Amino acid sequence: MLQFAGASLHIGHRLVLMDKWAPEEMLRLIDAHACTHTHMVPTQFHRLLALPEEVRARYDVSSMRHAVHGAAPCPGQVKRAMIEWWGHCVEEYYAASEGGGAFATAEDWLKKPGTVGRAWPISELAVFDDDGNRLPPGEVGTVYMKMSTGGFSYHKDEAKTRKNRIGDFFTVGDLGLLDEDGYLFLRDRKIDMIISGGVNIYPAEIESVLLGHPAVADAAVFGIPHADWGEEVKAVVEPAEGHAPGPELSAAILAHCERRLAGYKRPRSVDFVGAMPRDPNGKLYKRRLRDPYWEGRDRPV
């Protein structure tokens, strides 16, 4: 196994450590060692795809059998491009450490673009509204799951256990819907949803658009205070290598969004960071970005 922050490559029983993940180095190792399994996050997909075509073509990735990803939403254009490049080894899961989840093969995703899959054989998925009513297929609500192997409780936190439960089902706070065939489609985390002028806005959709700009290496979207609307849409961007942050880049990014998003979904401004605050598994610490804008204010959601 070859292991590094946010990803692992399996090479028989060997273990090789990398101090820092780099997209071309990953391709080189897959080619050199005929790696068969990996676990990544969508940000790494995005950075692999950003490599020049001649660099990507230099390495053979046909040995890969299972390129599993999770931990964050994957933009549709990124997922499709990875399947076109790496083939049907690209697989996705949605899960929680508490238990339960869904899994999608590449075939599932091509048949149902945007899905994170169907429930595991030992898991069940359901979508409920805020009043605890189970919603029919196609309606957006809070995603709940349960395991047929039994329940759980949070250690010394019975209130949290009760708060996140409806019967035997529990939630980690994600919004989504199930279609008529049982495929799960996520919208965003409930806590990250922006309410602007009474309209619900899902940051994941906007982040997907931002990542379609060649100057954007990583992006985060969240609500910041607005006197009249309650919240307005803020974008924070990590520029891609070779692109300098500043007013010119900000204007180009906002113009890119203007062509692809409805007016109420467009970021009103762009700020830049050198690197997004992500944990070793690739999950974004969005609160670290959002909280400074809300100092001294209570979020309306």
Side-chain angles (χ1 to χ4, degrees):
M1 175 191 284
L2 176 147
Q3 181 117 14
F4 51 93
S8 60
L9 290 168
H10 292 256
I11 314 165
H13 296 291
R14 288 180 294 148
L15 175 64
V16 182
L17 297 178
M18 292 177 68
D19 292 333
K20 184 178 180 181
W21 184 84
E24 185 175 357
E25 178 65 0
M26 182 181 196
L27 296 179
R28 187 190 71 79
L29 289 165
I30 292 172
D31 188 348
H33 298 281
C35 301
T36 57
H37 295 63
T38 184
H39 176 276
M40 286 191 288
V41 294
T43 300
Q44 290 167 311
F45 283 173
H46 180 66
R47 295 186 183 186
L48 284 165
L49 291 163
L51 291 170
E53 183 59 38
E54 63 271 18
V55 174
R56 291 167 50 189
R58 199 177 295 157
Y59 303 100
D60 181 6
V61 296
S62 63
S63 61
M64 292 302 306
R65 297 291 175 264
H66 299 281
V68 182
H69 71 96
C74 186
Q77 72 273 15
V78 171
K79 180 70 171 275
R80 190 175 297 277
M82 283 299 297
I83 293 173
E84 290 173 354
W85 177 16
W86 284 35
H88 284 198
C89 67
V90 180
E91 300 163 332
E92 183 170 2
Y93 69 91
Y94 168 73
S97 56
E98 293 90 342
F103 187 81
T105 64
E107 291 88 347
D108 289 332
W109 193 90
L110 291 171
K111 182 174 65 175
K112 303 270 190 175
T115 187
V116 294
R118 288 191 287 188
W120 304 341
I122 58 171
S123 179
E124 184 179 346
L125 301 171
V127 176
F128 290 87
D129 66 16
D130 290 342
D131 295 322
N133 301 307
R134 192 163 182 167
L135 295 173
E139 292 196 23
V140 175
T142 303
V143 178
Y144 283 76
M145 47 193 149
K146 70 176 180 178
M147 295 285 283
S148 61
T149 52
F152 72 94
S153 61
Y154 291 105
H155 183 59
K156 296 182 178 180
D157 198 340
E158 189 58 35
K160 182 179 179 181
T161 301
R162 290 196 304 270
K163 180 181 177 182
N164 294 329
R165 278 222 178 118
I166 295 177
D168 293 332
F169 285 93
F170 72 93
T171 184
V172 292
D174 291 319
L175 295 169
L177 63 89
L178 289 164
D179 75 1
E180 64 281 356
D181 298 316
Y183 285 90
L184 177 63
F185 295 79
L186 297 178
R187 288 295 177 261
D188 221 312
R189 289 189 61 78
K190 195 170 187 177
I191 194 172
D192 291 334
M193 186 174 68
I194 301 166
I195 303 178
S196 183
V199 178
N200 295 345
I201 301 171
Y202 301 112
E205 178 187 358
I206 305 166
E207 290 162 356
S208 176
V209 169
L210 289 166
L211 288 169
H213 193 287
V216 176
D218 205 352
V221 171
F222 46 86
I224 64 172
H226 188 280
D228 296 325
W229 306 335
E231 292 185 281
E232 70 173 63
V233 181
K234 164 68 74 174
V236 174
V237 165
E238 177 185 330
E241 189 174 348
H243 296 272
E248 187 175 337
L249 180 56
S250 177
I253 290 171
L254 291 175
H256 171 82
C257 292
E258 186 175 353
R259 295 190 295 270
R260 293 163 175 82
L261 290 167
Y264 70 94
K265 297 179 181 179
R266 297 172 198 159
R268 301 299 161 183
S269 55
V270 179
D271 288 344
F272 297 98
V273 293
M276 285 290 172
R278 291 186 179 273
D279 73 11
N281 294 317
K283 286 190 175 182
L284 178 66
Y285 292 118
K286 188 172 285 190
R287 187 170 181 175
R288 294 183 185 177
L289 298 170
R290 180 175 54 214
D291 281 0
Y293 296 93
W294 288 92
E295 283 187 7
R297 304 280 294 269
D298 290 326
R299 289 197 70 204
V301 294

